Amino acid sequence: MSTVAIGAESATALARPWRRFWARVLDYWLLIFPVGFAAGMVMGSISVELLLWLQKPMSNLIVNWCLSPLVMLLEGLIYGWLGTTPGKWLLGVQLLTVNGQRPTRGQYLRRQIDVYIFGLGAWLPLVSLLTTLYQYGKVRDGQAAGYDQGKFEVRAAKLSPLRIVCTALILIGMMAVNGYFRQETRESHRSYTSGGPWTNKLTGREITIPSGWSHQQSKNQDQQDVDMFFHPDAGIYAVFARESIPGPFELEDYASAWIRAASDSMSLYVSSESDTIEGQPALVVLGSIAGDKSQKVHATLLKRNGAVWRVVLIGTAGVSPDRAEALKLRQALFSSVH
């Protein structure tokens, strides 16, 4: 792509540090949210082990760090396509070569590499702080950032009141979203390390989930609400659900019907072992995931008030699903069905 001359009216004063900072923050946030979500979906579909690892507290920070070079690359491609980026456009920031030309896509991508290494310090703790402070000092003093010297200039146009208001609202909104996810991460880490409260929405009963487990609400293939719990260290995940059954029924008949309905995804059979949950008899169903025999299944069915509650424990990579950690969770979950 050929360079395009920028009119003199656009090339105004050198951009100040904070204008440049918020333009870059906005571009990063606009990309990292959808890219991170897509990466999580792909990783979770590759293997159950990766899905379990993603449930660990702080795993999202590791994923985002690994994705940051990709985000920088995507920003470069957007610049090559549009001639600017959303953050630069909104804050009136323009990147020019020292000759006053708009950079080519290749020039912008090479600059992105320099910014990532020498400006952001590859997002490494302490290194990033030092490189950011160093570049901030140079720009504050009216100089080019180290990675721009002799190559580029960053200029800024005067912002209209409307654009200032729009920028403020967008940044406040994105900071609120970012703050929400940070708070969720802190809560998840606290629950993971020491256990935490969880409320059964169907009964309204609050219980304490043992430490080591994370929670996620989802829907099964029949669009029924299910609660999923993950224990990455043990290599086990659990599915907790209720199914209402109209009319009188026997638990054994329900178990047979459920085994048939789940045959596409699980190979199951009713175990000969008996079990008692909260003083009531329960059925144990054993088996494995149909497409992966190394994923063992241990399900417990409990009949209560015209409905069947299921706790399905699944061990990955040959892990026994009825380990102590899983049975402790099962006991806690069934205590919520009163």
Side-chain angles (χ1 to χ4, degrees):
M1 183 181 71
S2 60
T3 56
V4 178
I6 305 296
E9 69 277 9
S10 298
T12 55
L14 289 173
R16 300 303 297 161
W18 286 107
R19 180 93 72 96
R20 296 174 58 161
F21 170 78
W22 288 116
R24 180 159 297 283
V25 166
L26 183 57
D27 285 333
Y28 183 80
W29 280 350
L30 285 173
L31 288 172
I32 193 61
F33 288 139
V35 170
F37 178 79
M41 295 291 288
V42 171
M43 292 174 67
S45 67
I46 291 175
S47 72
V48 178
E49 288 78 9
L50 272 176
L51 177 63
L52 281 172
W53 179 80
L54 286 172
Q55 307 306 314
K56 277 192 171 186
M58 316 309 285
S59 63
N60 62 320
L61 298 180
I62 298 174
V63 171
N64 288 345
W65 180 77
C66 294
L67 290 175
S68 57
L70 175 60
V71 169
M72 300 287 284
L73 171 63
L74 290 176
E75 182 191 324
L77 295 178
I78 291 173
Y79 184 90
W81 177 37
L82 299 177
T84 187
T85 63
K88 288 180 176 62
W89 174 81
L90 190 62
L91 284 130
V93 174
Q94 297 175 340
L95 177 66
L96 308 172
T97 68
V98 290
N99 297 322
Q101 305 292 308
R102 192 182 77 187
T104 64
R105 180 183 299 167
Q107 287 174 321
Y108 193 89
L109 287 173
R110 285 192 292 272
R111 181 178 183 269
Q112 287 290 85
I113 296 174
D114 290 339
V115 170
Y116 180 71
I117 297 174
F118 303 109
L120 301 174
W123 292 112
L124 295 171
L126 185 60
V127 176
S128 181
L129 175 63
L130 293 176
T131 55
T132 300
L133 289 176
Y134 172 74
Q135 303 298 352
Y136 168 80
K138 294 181 72 67
V139 176
R140 179 198 57 197
D141 295 338
Q143 305 176 45
Y147 46 80
D148 284 339
Q149 285 184 343
K151 303 174 186 176
F152 303 100
E153 289 182 347
V154 182
R155 295 187 171 272
K158 185 177 180 180
L159 295 180
S160 66
L162 178 60
R163 186 167 290 195
I164 292 174
V165 171
C166 290
T167 301
L169 291 176
I170 291 173
L171 288 174
I172 290 172
M174 298 198 76
M175 283 191 287
V177 171
N178 188 54
Y180 169 79
F181 282 118
R182 286 181 177 273
Q183 180 62 27
E184 286 287 299
T185 298
R186 285 192 290 268
E187 290 292 334
S188 176
H189 180 70
R190 184 160 46 246
S191 297
Y192 185 82
T193 54
S194 57
W198 173 78
T199 300
N200 185 328
K201 293 184 178 180
L202 296 174
T203 65
R205 185 178 178 87
E206 182 179 282
I207 61 171
T208 299
I209 298 298
S211 62
W213 292 93
S214 63
H215 169 254
Q216 178 179 318
Q217 193 160 37
S218 183
K219 289 183 179 294
N220 62 15
Q221 59 187 8
D222 298 321
Q223 296 304 303
Q224 298 170 329
D225 289 328
V226 297
D227 290 281
M228 301 189 67
F229 299 85
F230 303 87
H231 198 308
D233 293 333
I236 299 173
Y237 62 101
V239 182
F240 183 47
R242 183 188 73 170
E243 187 170 0
S244 297
I245 309 296
F249 68 96
E250 297 297 330
L251 191 57
E252 290 78 5
D253 296 331
Y254 171 83
S256 299
W258 179 62
I259 289 173
R260 288 194 299 270
S263 60
D264 288 341
S265 58
M266 294 183 287
S267 300
L268 303 172
Y269 62 93
V270 177
S271 172
S272 58
E273 65 178 284
S274 59
D275 206 344
T276 301
I277 302 295
E278 300 290 317
Q280 292 192 350
L283 282 183
V284 175
V285 176
L286 305 177
S288 62
I289 298 297
D292 184 357
K293 299 298 183 182
S294 68
Q295 294 190 55
K296 305 301 182 182
V297 177
H298 183 288
T300 306
L301 311 181
L302 177 66
K303 180 180 177 181
R304 182 68 60 86
N305 299 326
V308 174
W309 294 85
R310 302 191 304 261
V311 173
V312 182
L313 307 172
I314 303 173
T316 63
V319 172
S320 175
D322 58 347
R323 291 176 54 170
E325 302 96 323
L327 295 181
K328 187 176 181 180
L329 173 70
R330 184 189 69 166
Q331 180 181 356
L333 293 175
F334 277 134
S335 71
S336 74
V337 306
H338 290 301

